[in-house]
C-alpha cells in the first residue's frame, strides 16, 4: 500500500518521462509499512553529489558483480535507498554502503529498479546515513 504522496510522485515521474521532461531524483517519501512491523521503513532519494561515478553491486564490495548500470553526478543521476551498512569493503573512504533499490538516469530519462549496494562515499560522502536505519546485514 502506497501513501498518496508516493503515488503522486510516481505519476509525476511517469508523466515527465512520457512528455520528454527532465526527471530529477527526489526523496521518495514514506515507504509502506512492513506487514509485521509498526514502524515505517525508511526511503531516501539521493542525487549524486560527488565527483565519482557510482556502481551498484550485488554485495557491498567492488569484487562482486555489478547489478545495474553505472551512475554519474554529471548526468544528474540519483538513487533511492532504504538503509546503510558499515560491514562492507573500505575502498578508500570508509566502510559505509547504502542498500539501493532504484536508480535514476535523469539526463537519459529512465529509471531502473535494482537491489544492490552503492558506496556511500561516492554517492554523497555518507550524508544520508543520519536519515536511514542500519540494515543489520
Amino acid at each position: 500500500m502506497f501513501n498518496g504522496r508516493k503515488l503522486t510522485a510516481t505519476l509525476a515521474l511517469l508523466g515527465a518521462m512520457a512528455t520528454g521532461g527532465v526527471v530529477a531524483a527526489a526523496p521518495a517519501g514514506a515507504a509502506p509499512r512492513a506487514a509485521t512491523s509498526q514502524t515505517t521503513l525508511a526511503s531516501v532519494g539521493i542525487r549524486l553529489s560527488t565527483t565519482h561515478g557510482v556502481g551498484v553491486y550485488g554485495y557491498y564490495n567492488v569484487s562482486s558483480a555489478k547489478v545495474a548500470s553505472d551512475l554519474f553526478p554529471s548526468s544528474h543521476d540519483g538513487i533511492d535507498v532504504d538503509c546503510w551498512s558499515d560491514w562492507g569493503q573500505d575502498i578508500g573512504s570508509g566502510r559505509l554502503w547504502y542498500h539501493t533499490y532504484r536508480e535514476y538516469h535523469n539526463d537519459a530519462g529512465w529509471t531502473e529498479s535494482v537491489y544492490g549496494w552503492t558506496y556511500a562515499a561516492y554517492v554523497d560522502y555518507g550524508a544520508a546515513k543520519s536519515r536511514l536505519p542500519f540494515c543489520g546485514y
Side-chain angles (χ1 to χ4, degrees), residues 42-121:
S43 179
V44 175
I46 306 169
R47 179 170 289 184
L48 304 184
S49 60
T50 70
T51 58
H52 293 277
V54 177
V56 181
Y57 297 90
Y59 297 95
Y60 33 64
N61 64 62
V62 294
S63 63
S64 69
K66 286 187 181 178
V67 296
S69 301
D70 286 344
L71 300 144
F72 300 95
S74 60
S75 299
H76 308 103
D77 293 341
I79 57 176
D80 283 338
V81 301
D82 56 9
C83 61
W84 61 270
S85 179
D86 59 1
W87 296 0
Q89 179 183 7
D90 181 347
I91 58 175
S93 297
R95 301 174 62 89
L96 182 62
W97 290 73
Y98 294 136
H99 183 253
T100 304
Y101 63 90
R102 188 171 299 114
E103 62 178 23
Y104 298 90
H105 296 268
N106 289 324
D107 285 359
W110 60 279
T111 64
E112 183 175 12
S113 293
V114 298
Y115 293 95
W117 296 90
T118 51
Y119 190 57

